[in-house]
Amino acid sequence: MATFIVLLGPPGAGKGTQAQIISRSMNLPHISTGDLFRENIKNLTELGKEAQTYMNQGQLVPDSLTISMVKERLSRSDCVNGALLDGFPRTSAQAEAFDRMLLETFKSKVDCVPCIEVEADHLIERLCGRWMCPNGHVFHTKFNPPKESGVCDICGSALYQRDDDKIQTVSRRIAVYEAQTAPLIQYYENQNVLYRIDGSQEIDSVSADILDVLKKFAKK
Ligand code: AP5
Ligand code: MG
């Protein structure tokens, strides 16, 4: 049966950082809706043009666009054994649509939701010091510096700072998370699949805690 893991947590909690590690260790494709939107923006697609206006304001892209993009991504052959979702679902409507999608297409359900928790002050420091590569690999000037400044350790691409990592947009994104995404904690608690992770620890300790949770769930 396919395995679906959802990484939940506010902007800057470390979803992308952890997804890189966990997807390798679980051998599941890493699906980040933020990365998919950024790829569309780079390729000047219609979806990218529409998404960009919302993203630059720190708002969520409308559910209908997001859900159909994820549906298309999950239909690709690398998802037959499941996937690790990062940044999706982010609203109750997306969570309900995702449950329906998994049931209809995979006869499956969300198996495990590690929720990475970090205080708001730390989130701002993390996002304002973040550098990324176009392939979604994530670094931080202080907490996770690349070996060579401005160059991705993993694929050698040039690193850049995201447009939505400006202080005003970061604060808006955190508020949007609290209003629209935090209610999913209760949604997944009700399904008995939510595990709270202390995201204020060092990157390796956070990964170890998530992998521990995933091992427990695998034994269930
Ligand atoms: P998205 O790209 O998903 O951004 P986000 O949720 O705001 O999350 P981030 O990517 O900013 O943070 P992260 O948790 O991945 O942290 P990271 O690992 O990079 O979405 C962007 C936008 O797209 C949204 O605002 C919205 O407009 C749109 N969108 C996306 N999905 C959508 C959806 N489903 N519905 C509607 N709209 C959607 O880490 C952050 C920094 O901290 C890095 O520099 C990292 O090196 C560092 N760091 C990580 N872990 C640690 C640690 N343990 N200690 C110290 N530093 C750390
Ligand atoms: Mg991310």
Side-chain angles (χ1 to χ4, degrees):
M1 184 126 127
T3 301
F4 290 92
I5 299 163
V6 169
L7 282 184
L8 199 59
K15 301 182 296 295
T17 302
Q18 295 303 328
Q20 267 167 236
I21 300 165
I22 307 297
S23 72
R24 227 176 292 137
S25 142
M26 299 285 292
N27 200 19
L28 287 173
H30 167 202
I31 299 180
S32 155
T33 40
D35 288 348
L36 290 175
F37 286 130
R38 281 184 287 277
E39 200 179 301
N40 275 279
I41 292 171
K42 197 175 85 189
N43 296 334
L44 303 172
T45 67
E46 282 307 311
L47 174 62
K49 280 181 211 155
E50 186 147 4
Q52 189 164 31
T53 49
Y54 296 97
M55 291 171 76
N56 285 349
Q57 292 167 24
Q59 299 289 0
L60 296 184
V61 178
D63 286 336
S64 56
L65 293 178
T66 308
I67 291 166
S68 51
M69 179 178 77
V70 170
K71 209 169 186 171
E72 189 283 320
R73 179 64 187 85
L74 285 176
S75 70
R76 297 194 208 158
S77 59
D78 61 337
C79 296
V80 284
N81 293 321
L84 172 64
L85 282 298
D86 154 12
F88 179 89
R90 246 167 155 110
T91 63
S92 302
Q94 290 180 18
E96 286 161 15
F98 188 45
D99 282 350
R100 283 195 297 275
M101 227 184 275
L102 294 188
L103 193 63
E104 283 163 16
T105 316
F106 297 90
K107 303 275 172 287
S108 194
K109 58 182 184 54
V110 173
D111 292 287
C112 185
V113 182
C115 176
I116 308 176
E117 299 181 317
V118 178
E119 303 269 325
D121 289 355
H122 293 139
L123 298 175
I124 292 169
E125 189 185 10
R126 285 188 186 185
L127 293 175
C128 293
R130 168 167 62 186
W131 287 79
M132 311 215 8
C133 87
N135 296 316
H137 304 129
V138 188
F139 300 87
H140 192 282
T141 44
K142 182 167 152 195
F143 303 126
N144 184 23
K147 290 191 187 85
E148 187 184 337
S149 173
V151 180
C152 178
D153 287 357
I154 299 164
C155 64
S157 311
L159 300 178
Y160 72 98
Q161 284 194 290
R162 271 171 46 178
D163 286 342
D164 60 349
D165 279 348
K166 298 186 196 85
I167 180 78
Q168 303 89 327
T169 321
V170 163
S171 306
R172 169 73 64 80
R173 284 160 56 205
I174 294 170
V176 166
Y177 171 84
E178 287 303 330
Q180 299 193 53
T181 308
L184 296 187
I185 294 174
Q186 188 63 53
Y187 181 85
Y188 287 120
E189 254 171 4
N190 293 346
Q191 295 190 9
N192 211 15
V193 290
L194 189 103
Y195 297 85
R196 291 174 189 272
I197 304 288
D198 176 4
S200 66
Q201 311 170 82
E202 294 204 346
I203 292 172
D204 290 349
S205 309
V206 178
S207 311
D209 283 1
I210 297 176
L211 286 168
D212 253 9
V213 157
L214 294 175
K215 266 184 227 142
K216 274 183 215 148
F217 131 79
K219 280 193 208 135
K220 258 192 193 174

